[in-house]
Amino acid sequence: MKTLKGPGIFLAQFIGEEAPFNGLAAMCEWAKGLGYKGVQLPTTDPRFIDLKLAAESQTYADELAGTVRAAGLEITELSTHLQGQLVAVNPAYDTLFDAFAPEEVRGNPAARQAWAVQQLKYAAQASQRLGLTAHASFSGALVWPYVYPWPQRSPGLVETGFDELARRWLPILDEFDRNGVDLCYEVHAGEDLHDGTTYEMFLERVGNHPRACLLYDPSHFILQCLDYLEYIDIYHERIRAFHVKDAEFNPTGRQGVYGGYQNWIDRAGRFRSLGDGQVNFKAIFSKLAQYDYAGWAVLEWECALKHPEDGAREGAQFIKDHIIRVTDRAFDDFAAAGTDEAKNKQLLGL
């Protein structure tokens, strides 16, 4: 068995305009000072990475990795969550998601999608140059506006949507395969891949592609009332990345899963800093150890209440305390009988 790696931290929620949050080197020093060992890099901010250059230049990729190593850290994965969202956008969300794209492709869904697909391909190539084996992203969504079956969905609507989703992602998955990198979809509300059933629908359409893997984040399953421990039992062979994020779900007589159109602080289901929510992380880390998960445990901090710097500080120790150093021997070896095949046959009366 392998001991999983960590703690790591996803930098996206902490990036800002003030030091140390406005540059890669300074942010790595900050993360190291909190006790982190790795950083997951978002790829849309040129202050942190030039994704195209990282895909095309080994020299630049080596320099980027060197900046992180100089702080005593490793890159855990690259993230293209925002670009992945743009691979598939229902027209209802065109205006809102245009903000994720550069100005030159806004208002042009076809150009925006082409840009996003190229970004994902760059990410596959950059990951290979950086020596990474997993990548984090979203699936995007064509069918999400129809998640609730009212009005009655027209026959074949969902199937057509998933056929198209698979068609768009297959060339990207093939590019990740050529570069030896697993593409890990964060199963998440707002994406067509938002639970195990939808992931299986997609997986079937991409021919069980070996690179169509999963980023496991239990917080999204708390908010859906999904069994996040059994999910590991079912999909552990495909889980190649892990966001350590907490959440709580407290339904009332007025509000449940759908949240009543309220802001995060007033929703029955909301994200919380590590240790402040309801996720059973001891059970999660135990299952991941049981199934020999060898990737990183990466903090993704989101909370409607706590200051992010406090969440980051507390999160490093929280993850460290939950990582199970797996054993190299059986606990009852002290009582081993030291038998051999002949002895075994004697014991069985053979």
Side-chain angles (χ1 to χ4, degrees), residues 134-137 182-187 193 195-196 199-200 203 211-217 221 231 234-242 293:
H135 178 76
S137 197
D182 293 323
L183 176 51
C184 304
Y185 294 102
E186 182 170 357
V187 173
L193 306 192
D195 59 11
Y199 172 63
E200 291 177 15
L203 196 60
R211 299 299 178 180
C213 295
L214 293 167
L215 185 161
Y216 176 70
D217 183 335
F221 302 149
Y231 182 96
I234 298 169
Y235 301 112
H236 60 89
E237 293 180 353
R238 291 277 183 170
I239 295 173
R240 306 294 171 82
F242 175 25
Y293 171 74

Side-chain angles (χ1 to χ4, degrees), residues 44 79-87 97 99-100 115-116 137-138:
T44 54
S79 153
T80 55
H81 284 82
L82 301 189
Q83 300 100 309
Q85 185 77 66
L86 300 183
V87 170
F97 283 146
F100 291 177
W115 173 84
S137 197
F138 279 151

Side-chain angles (χ1 to χ4, degrees), residues 4-201:
L4 65 79
K5 295 177 282 190
I9 183 170
F10 185 27
L11 297 183
Q13 283 85 358
F14 300 95
I15 292 174
E17 298 304 318
E18 303 295 329
F21 306 110
N22 57 356
L24 180 59
M27 218 169 169
C28 286
E29 292 288 347
W30 166 77
K32 178 66 174 179
L34 295 177
Y36 289 99
K37 297 182 180 181
V39 290
Q40 187 178 85
L41 291 184
T43 56
T44 54
D45 191 322
R47 295 174 298 177
F48 290 81
I49 183 174
D50 182 325
L51 185 57
K52 182 175 184 292
L53 189 57
E56 296 174 344
S57 168
Q58 189 62 52
T59 299
Y60 173 77
D62 291 343
E63 291 173 351
L64 184 72
T67 297
V68 177
R69 283 197 302 269
L73 302 175
E74 298 178 48
I75 300 173
T76 66
E77 301 94 6
L78 301 180
S79 153
T80 55
H81 284 82
L82 301 189
Q83 300 100 309
Q85 185 77 66
L86 300 183
V87 170
V89 177
N90 184 282
Y93 296 103
D94 267 336
T95 300
L96 292 173
F97 283 146
D98 255 357
F100 291 177
E103 286 191 21
E104 59 267 24
V105 299
R106 293 176 188 172
N108 185 336
R112 185 185 61 203
Q113 180 197 339
W115 173 84
V117 169
Q118 184 60 66
Q119 286 280 296
L120 266 294
K121 291 180 177 180
Y122 285 150
Q125 297 155 16
S127 295
Q128 189 275 332
R129 290 193 184 279
L130 290 165
L132 305 176
T133 59
H135 178 76
S137 197
F138 279 151
S139 69
L142 298 173
V143 188
W144 178 256
Y146 310 103
V147 66
Y148 193 80
W150 180 260
Q152 187 182 77
R153 292 189 289 250
S154 59
L157 175 66
V158 172
E159 290 75 12
T160 299
F162 270 79
D163 288 346
E164 176 63 17
L165 189 71
R167 187 192 68 78
R168 296 185 187 190
W169 277 103
L170 261 173
I172 300 170
L173 288 164
D174 288 343
E175 183 66 23
F176 273 86
D177 194 34
R178 282 189 287 271
N179 285 278
V181 180
D182 293 323
L183 176 51
C184 304
Y185 294 102
E186 182 170 357
V187 173
H188 185 293
E191 311 302 315
D192 278 343
L193 306 192
H194 59 267
D195 59 11
T197 298
T198 51
Y199 172 63
E200 291 177 15
M201 291 165 62

Side-chain angles (χ1 to χ4, degrees), residues 257-329:
V257 170
Y258 300 112
Y261 293 116
Q262 299 306 294
N263 293 322
W264 280 112
I265 198 168
D266 295 318
R267 295 175 71 89
R270 58 188 186 177
F271 301 123
R272 297 299 309 275
S273 273
L274 282 184
D276 295 345
Q278 298 168 349
V279 176
N280 184 350
F281 283 105
K282 286 189 176 182
I284 287 173
F285 277 83
S286 293
K287 280 192 177 290
L288 291 175
Q290 171 188 344
Y291 289 121
D292 209 20
Y293 171 74
W296 282 86
V298 176
L299 169 72
E300 184 185 20
W301 176 87
E302 290 181 346
C303 185
L305 300 174
K306 184 168 287 184
H307 193 282
E309 292 181 46
D310 292 337
R313 174 177 48 80
E314 295 170 1
Q317 190 63 45
F318 186 94
I319 295 173
K320 181 180 178 181
D321 289 344
H322 280 77
I323 291 176
I324 295 173
R325 184 162 68 115
V326 298
T327 183
D328 58 358
R329 60 185 183 275

